[in-house]
Amino acid sequence: MMMIMKPVMTTILLMMRLWVLLIVMFFSVPSYTQEKYVPQKGDLLFCVAGDSDFSGAIADATAWHDTVKFVHVAIVAVEKGKPYIIEATGRKGVTCTDWEEFFSSSQHIGGKPGVVVMRVKPTAGFSVTSAIEKAKTHLGEEYDWSYYPDNGKMYCTELVYECFRKDDGTPLFTARPMNFRNENGEMPAFWTELFEKLGEPIPEGVLGTNPNDMSKEPVLMEVHRYF
């Protein structure tokens, strides 16, 4: 009897272990903090274009010859060892976003987040802590659909541009005349319809910033690529 029971008990134990393993796998949530990259405050997360009209309009106007087209940038903040995001989005304005939520909702490439992490090179007179603290002062502001400077609103790269400055107020990044036209020189319907609703002229040529140009700034270095 004992000889018969032994194989049965072994089989039961193996089945129980298998069930436990399946349950753990089922309820596991992918953690983007487990990547080799260790988040540091002040890191910038550049996000690739998605399939929305908004993303397409930005990519068409700012990334004519780029293989990777960036349409958004966000700031990494860290408190008590836990990273989170400060960003300006069309849906929420300037807000704090949970780390996992940010990566889960980003455009994916081959099943991985389409995000490139860049970091400011050691720069005299620049304080990452000051940049983060300044970004926090803009929390709650509306998204700047007008793309005009100094109007109390912020778009994603405008937030970075305004907050990442040296102690003397000099911006780390470069503002350039903005372009809203595609590679063929045509104005996409997205921009025409948006500014008609706003009752404002399209700020073509007004000094501003965009994720593609910002990602190429010599003051930045790439430290991680998720895809």
Side-chain angles (χ1 to χ4, degrees), residues 37 39-40 42-48 70-77 83-87 97-99 102-103 106 114-119 156-157 160 164 211 214-215 220 223-224 226:
Y37 161 65
Q40 291 189 20
D43 284 352
L44 298 176
L45 306 179
F46 287 85
C47 304
V48 301
F70 295 120
V71 294
H72 183 59
V73 63
I75 304 169
V76 175
Y84 64 97
I85 309 298
I86 300 176
E87 60 180 341
T97 304
D98 176 77
W99 184 265
F102 177 85
F103 282 95
S106 67
V115 178
V116 173
V117 186
M118 296 192 181
R119 183 173 297 157
C156 66
T157 50
V160 176
F164 282 60
M214 185 171 281
S215 70
L220 292 178
V223 295
H224 187 69
Y226 278 89

Side-chain angles (χ1 to χ4, degrees), residues 8-135:
V8 173
M9 291 300 294
T10 302
T11 302
I12 292 173
L13 286 171
L14 286 172
M15 290 181 65
M16 289 176 65
R17 287 173 183 171
L18 179 61
W19 274 108
V20 170
L21 180 61
L22 289 172
I23 290 169
V24 170
M25 290 174 64
F26 183 80
F27 286 102
S28 291
V29 176
S31 175
Y32 301 107
T33 56
Q34 293 175 3
E35 296 274 350
K36 292 179 182 178
Y37 161 65
V38 178
Q40 291 189 20
K41 63 181 179 181
D43 284 352
L44 298 176
L45 306 179
F46 287 85
C47 304
V48 301
D51 54 5
S52 69
D53 292 341
F54 181 38
S55 291
I58 293 175
D60 287 345
T62 65
W64 294 352
H65 307 295
D66 296 333
T67 303
V68 178
K69 304 176 188 299
F70 295 120
V71 294
H72 183 59
V73 63
I75 304 169
V76 175
V78 181
E79 287 189 15
K80 296 180 180 178
K82 185 178 181 180
Y84 64 97
I85 309 298
I86 300 176
E87 60 180 341
T89 70
R91 193 161 57 94
K92 296 182 178 180
V94 183
T95 185
C96 289
T97 304
D98 176 77
W99 184 265
E100 297 290 342
E101 178 188 342
F102 177 85
F103 282 95
S104 296
S105 61
S106 67
Q107 178 72 16
H108 278 51
I109 299 175
K112 297 181 179 180
V115 178
V116 173
V117 186
M118 296 192 181
R119 183 173 297 157
V120 175
K121 298 174 183 176
T123 304
F126 171 68
S127 166
V128 172
T129 299
S130 295
I132 298 298
E133 291 307 311
K134 188 167 184 180

